[in-house]
Amino acid sequence: DSGVTQTPKHLITATGQRVTLRCSPRSGDLSVYWYQQSLDQGLQFLIQYYNGEERAKGNILERFSAQQFPDLHSELNLSSLELGDSALYFCASSGGDTQYFGPGTRLTVL
Amino acid sequence: TQLLEQSPQFLSIQEGENLTVYCNSSSVFSSLQWYRQEPGEGPVLLVTVVTGGEVKKLKRLTFQFGDARKDSSLHITAAQPGDTGLYLCAGGGSNYKLTFGKGTLLTVNP
């Protein structure tokens, strides 16, 4: 158990819909990272937050957004969903150079 | 864009055999991390190497960082079924952002 929690574990929705994925970091960790993992692209960095502020951006689509709240939990919002957005979405947290990954949310877009 | 290529993509061996997987890049990274991911779980950090030429051992696993800090290898001695999983390498950059390879899927058959 990494100490990072993610909900929901599974999410099935339709194209065009919007979903919110939630992540609670390890106690004391200020950084939260979001990743997307698909079979063809592997694990892709999306975005990083540090203590509520956006710190770094990766291959995140404009239809996706994220935020980190004062209690340090983070949410990843995915809108206008497409079939190709089906993937595993991981959150990781860190207090330094080691990232601890949550169990992921498996998103299926039908 | 920094890319990490892992080889082989798939590896199926018998229990007791030795194996080596590789992680190569044309870019220099400040650190190189190896993760193992099991189905339905998030990646779990195995080791971080930061110095060119560095070798680290973790029981039957030996990790090496190339002299130029562009490549790394993971050697497993006397593989066991419990070693089965997806092995990911990740290069560290600024803000602790990680660039992942697509992984080597290892199956160790009893």
Side-chain angles (χ1 to χ4, degrees):
Chain A
D1 185 355
S2 66
V4 179
T5 60
Q6 288 187 248
T7 56
K9 192 161 179 64
H10 300 278
L11 195 51
I12 301 174
T13 188
T15 54
Q17 295 298 304
R18 172 190 168 94
V19 298
T20 298
L21 313 183
R22 183 187 168 103
C23 167
S24 292
R26 293 188 325 152
S27 177
D29 283 356
L30 298 180
S31 277
V32 169
Y33 306 77
W34 285 98
Y35 292 86
Q36 179 193 59
Q37 187 176 39
S38 61
L39 284 175
D40 56 341
Q41 294 292 323
L43 200 59
Q44 297 278 312
F45 167 71
L46 296 178
I47 196 163
Q48 177 202 359
Y49 279 82
Y50 178 85
N51 202 20
E53 301 288 326
E54 182 183 303
R55 176 65 67 94
K57 237 175 182 177
N59 302 322
I60 189 165
L61 299 172
E62 285 192 11
R63 300 182 286 109
F64 296 179
S65 65
Q67 54 185 328
Q68 187 179 27
F69 295 88
D71 67 352
L72 301 177
H73 91 271
S74 179
E75 292 181 355
L76 179 67
N77 301 295
L78 315 177
S79 61
S80 302
L81 285 168
E82 302 175 358
L83 295 177
D85 297 328
S86 295
L88 272 167
Y89 291 85
F90 287 103
C91 162
S93 76
S94 75
D97 59 357
T98 298
Q99 294 185 25
Y100 297 88
F101 284 77
T105 292
R106 180 174 292 280
L107 173 66
T108 302
V109 183
L110 301 176
Chain B
T1 303
Q2 294 179 313
L3 292 174
L4 279 168
E5 292 191 7
Q6 291 190 243
S7 61
Q9 191 175 356
F10 301 97
L11 188 56
S12 179
I13 62 171
Q14 294 301 119
E15 182 176 1
E17 293 184 3
N18 302 332
L19 67 113
T20 302
V21 298
Y22 300 92
C23 174
N24 296 296
S25 175
S26 58
S27 303
V28 176
F29 291 97
S30 58
S31 67
L32 203 295
Q33 300 184 346
W34 284 93
Y35 290 79
R36 187 164 75 100
Q37 184 179 14
E38 297 188 29
E41 309 268 338
V44 176
L45 180 66
L46 296 174
V47 76
T48 300
V49 285
V50 296
T51 305
E54 183 176 1
V55 176
K56 278 191 175 178
K57 291 193 174 184
L58 185 67
K59 297 183 181 178
R60 295 177 292 99
L61 279 59
T62 302
F63 305 85
Q64 184 161 9
F65 201 13
D67 291 341
R69 291 189 291 133
K70 293 182 179 181
D71 54 85
S72 181
S73 64
L74 159 59
H75 181 79
I76 301 179
T77 303
Q80 299 176 0
D83 296 327
T84 293
L86 179 67
Y87 288 81
L88 296 160
C89 67
S94 60
N95 292 326
Y96 305 119
K97 176 185 167 184
L98 294 176
T99 300
F100 281 85
K102 292 187 178 181
T104 293
L105 185 60
L106 171 65
T107 303
V108 182
N109 302 298

